[in-house]
Structures are given as C-alpha cells and as structure tokens.
Amino acid sequence: DGGITQSPKYLFRKEGQNVTLSCEQNLNHDAMYWYRQDPGQGLRLIYYSQIVNDFQKGDIAEGYSVSREKKESFPLTVTSAQKNPTAFYLCASSIVKGSYGYTFGSGTRLTVV
Amino acid sequence: DAKTTQPTSMDCAEGRAANLPCNHSTISGNEYVYWYRQIHSQGPQYIIHGLKNNETNEMASLIITEDRKSSTLILPHATLRDTAVYYCIDADAFRANNLFFGTGTRLTVIP
C-alpha cells in the first residue's frame, strides 16, 4: 500500500546534538512538508518542498535544515541552534496542484534532555 | 492566523450523529473546505473536502452553506474511535503550502 513513513517514532537526544528525522513516501507525490506540533497547539510549518532539489522555509524554519535529493525522501535535521526542539514532528506529502489534500505520516516525538 | 473558526470542544453520545460546525466567512471563490482529524499522538487524517456542493464519503458528510461562509461535518454514527481533534481548513487547491491547521475542535464521544 502507498503511504508515508516517518522514523523513528520516538527519539531522545542530548542538548546540543544535531538529530535527523526520516520521512519517506511512495505515493509519487511531488510536494513534501514538515510540521511541528507542541502540546495543545495546531501544526506549524517548518519547511516544504515542491520539487526535487528545491525547498522553501515555512513559518518556523530557524534551527532546522532539510534536503530533497530524491522525490521519495525529505529528511529534517534539528540542529543545536533550535532553542526548544522537544516536540512532535509530522511529515506530509501531496500533489502540487489539485484538491486531494495532504497525506501525513504517523509522526516522530523528539525529546531533548 | 487561522482563517476558520471552530468550537474548542464538543461531546457526542456514542451511536448518535456528531455535527461539527465551522465558520469560514473569508473564504474565496477558488478555495476548498477541507476537514482532517487527528487522533492523539498520530498524524492528521484526511476526511473529506468540498467546494460548494455537499459531499459524502464512507467516513462523513460535508454540508456547505449556499454562501459558503460556513460548513458542518457530520459523522452519522459516532463511535469511541471517532474521539479526536477535528480541523476545518479553507485552502486553494491549486497552490501548495496552503493548509493552515489551527487548534480545531476536540470531539469526545461518550459511551
């Protein structure tokens, strides 16, 4: 079945370390997105990409970096510059134009201690 | 800032219809109404979307008012597994990066 996979589901890191969250999709979607969700809050857009080798900053890109070397993959790196990295991170994908909406992964819960 | 307004929370008895309202008074002509839901600690799940006609699928029905300024998501026979946060979003389907997820409505289905 087609879908979007995030790994790992839970991740623990020490403060000051960079960490990379994986996101893979086999839906043949051109666009991919990274969101952050804090407890009781909505989703905030970190980065998005509409095509391979191109990506744009979202509303809260500071302290994060991404790459889009393959259509299927959109990894997110949480750097030591991110002041409050502990959060629930969600990856999504979609076709670029069309009304079909987004498909989300199951999320990665990152805890920095 | 959110372009839609939803109640913070609602309760519904198991087996009854759950009617979730949404106001989107600033919706433009080319924007669709999307509904997603998020069960605790999972990614949001697409439910349904519509432009101006009412829509129905295996999960829910979407009723959009004639002036398109509001809509109602209907879960015809709510089950305990429908307990989730429901997001109403208006977005241009032909632009990427256009879904804004606010805080939604927390629906609790009561046994």
Side-chain angles (χ1 to χ4, degrees):
Chain A
D1 288 337
I4 184 165
T5 302
Q6 290 186 242
S7 61
K9 189 166 180 64
Y10 298 96
L11 192 54
F12 295 87
R13 279 295 181 270
K14 290 184 178 179
E15 193 172 342
Q17 289 182 335
N18 291 354
V19 59
T20 298
L21 282 58
S22 169
C23 179
E24 303 277 334
Q25 55 99 359
N26 60 2
L27 299 165
N28 200 33
H29 286 168
D30 286 307
M32 297 187 74
Y33 312 83
W34 274 105
Y35 288 88
R36 169 184 173 136
Q37 187 174 35
D38 293 288
Q41 303 298 310
L43 280 64
R44 292 185 290 170
L45 183 67
I46 304 172
Y47 268 99
Y48 67 102
S49 167
Q50 297 185 60
I51 195 169
V52 174
N53 293 323
D54 187 50
F55 48 83
Q56 285 78 41
K57 294 181 178 180
D59 300 320
I60 55 165
E62 186 175 350
Y64 300 97
S65 66
V66 294
S67 63
R68 187 82 187 280
E69 297 177 2
K70 299 187 300 181
K71 186 176 185 178
E72 302 81 14
S73 179
F74 192 41
L76 173 74
T77 297
V78 183
T79 74
S80 57
Q82 168 51 232
K83 296 289 189 289
N84 297 296
T86 294
F88 187 48
Y89 290 88
L90 287 158
C91 181
S93 69
S94 72
I95 61 174
V96 174
K97 293 185 177 181
S99 66
Y100 304 104
Y102 290 12
T103 300
F104 280 85
S106 56
T108 293
R109 189 166 299 279
L110 173 65
T111 301
V112 175
V113 297
Chain B
D1 293 331
K3 298 190 295 177
T4 63
T5 305
Q6 300 176 253
T8 303
S9 63
M10 294 180 62
D11 293 339
C12 177
E14 188 179 15
R16 304 296 294 268
N19 297 299
L20 290 87
C22 179
N23 289 324
H24 30 80
S25 58
T26 62
I27 193 168
S28 63
N30 58 346
E31 289 185 326
Y32 285 71
V33 178
Y34 292 85
W35 283 84
Y36 287 76
R37 73 179 182 184
Q38 186 176 23
I39 296 169
H40 183 63
S41 294
Q42 297 182 24
Q45 175 190 24
Y46 164 83
I47 302 173
I48 199 168
H49 74 281
L51 185 61
K52 55 183 178 180
N53 297 322
N54 297 338
E55 303 287 345
T56 296
N57 63 20
E58 65 278 4
M59 291 182 68
S61 295
L62 174 61
I63 308 298
I64 302 174
T65 57
E66 193 168 344
D67 64 6
R68 301 209 323 124
K69 294 185 184 301
S70 65
S71 62
T72 301
L73 179 75
I74 301 172
L75 308 178
H77 305 286
T79 71
L80 299 180
R81 286 179 291 183
D82 292 322
T83 292
V85 176
Y86 287 78
Y87 299 98
C88 167
I89 303 163
D90 59 330
D92 185 340
F94 295 93
R95 287 176 51 198
N97 177 33
N98 206 25
L99 292 190
F100 178 84
F101 288 80
T103 53
T105 296
R106 181 172 297 280
L107 175 69
T108 302
V109 180
I110 302 169

